[in-house]
Amino acid sequence: MTSTDAKPEESRREQRLARLPWWGKVPLALVVVAALLFLGSRLDLLPGFGNLFGEETHDRTGPTLLQSIQDLDRYEAASGNFQVVVDLEKDTKYLPDAIKGSRTLFVGAGTVSSYVDFSGIGEKSVQVDDERTTATIRLPHAVLGKPAMDPDRSYAVSKQRGLIDRLGDLFSDNPADERAVNQLAARHIGEAAAESELTVRAEKNTTAMLQGLLHSLGFTQVSVRYA
């Protein structure tokens, strides 16, 4: 083949390459990697292929260490179960959501306890008559504890992430971190508990507990006051 024959051949190759769709110009290695990632995420959907590569789970967690012990001088008088649906969206200025941004729909479940603090009770907090039949007890108002999230009942319904966020997950040790939605769910649950009658129920339960205790000791009239 002469040099004049090679030039038309190269020209025809360039024309065929120009007519190829954009995906036809992607390097073969990238196509293979993308295909493997896609198949790896979809194998569980095919019957008989869920454990194709023999995946096993090994728990190599070390021993649990006791860091501290704290005596509790309070009476846990009531507990409330709460659930909230968190819709958290993060946008980036001047960039569409398909490129940079995320939206997570998360169901958060947790409990909030209400307790009465007995640590400040002193001699002046309890008054008993001479016949030891009447007692008056003064206690502080019930307060709310911190929300305790339940991981078994909390889950992400859907996650939408832009291209940059998805690429970042590939190089992250903790992709699609859910700490933000967990913290937001805990905050909303705490606010809902504050608006509920949980502390009122706690004070009623504490009063009933103390009255039953003192009645068993021979007191006929027991009054519990909160201030």
Side-chain angles (χ1 to χ4, degrees), residues 42-54:
R42 298 296 179 181
L43 280 177
D44 290 339
L45 302 179
L46 300 177
F49 288 90
N51 197 24
L52 178 63
F53 298 104

Side-chain angles (χ1 to χ4, degrees), residues 115-134:
Y115 62 90
V116 176
D117 189 3
F118 286 171
S119 62
I121 296 179
E123 295 180 357
K124 296 182 179 180
S125 301
V126 180
Q127 295 180 354
V128 180
D129 65 347
D130 296 336
E131 298 178 356
R132 298 186 62 83
T133 58
T134 302

Side-chain angles (χ1 to χ4, degrees), residues 66-144:
L66 176 61
Q67 294 185 333
S68 63
I69 296 178
Q70 182 178 0
D71 294 330
L72 299 179
D73 295 325
R74 64 189 190 186
Y75 177 63
E76 300 278 349
S79 178
N81 295 317
F82 297 86
Q83 187 178 75
V84 62
V85 178
V86 176
D87 188 353
L88 180 61
E89 183 176 3
K90 296 182 179 181
D91 297 324
T92 303
K93 216 171 189 181
Y94 308 120
L95 287 178
D97 293 340
I99 301 297
K100 176 64 176 174
S102 64
R103 183 175 182 180
T104 304
L105 194 63
F106 180 81
V107 176
T111 59
V112 179
S113 62
S114 182
Y115 62 90
V116 176
D117 189 3
F118 286 171
S119 62
I121 296 179
E123 295 180 357
K124 296 182 179 180
S125 301
V126 180
Q127 295 180 354
V128 180
D129 65 347
D130 296 336
E131 298 178 356
R132 298 186 62 83
T133 58
T134 302
T136 301
I137 304 174
R138 292 180 173 83
L139 297 174
H141 282 291
V143 295
L144 296 174

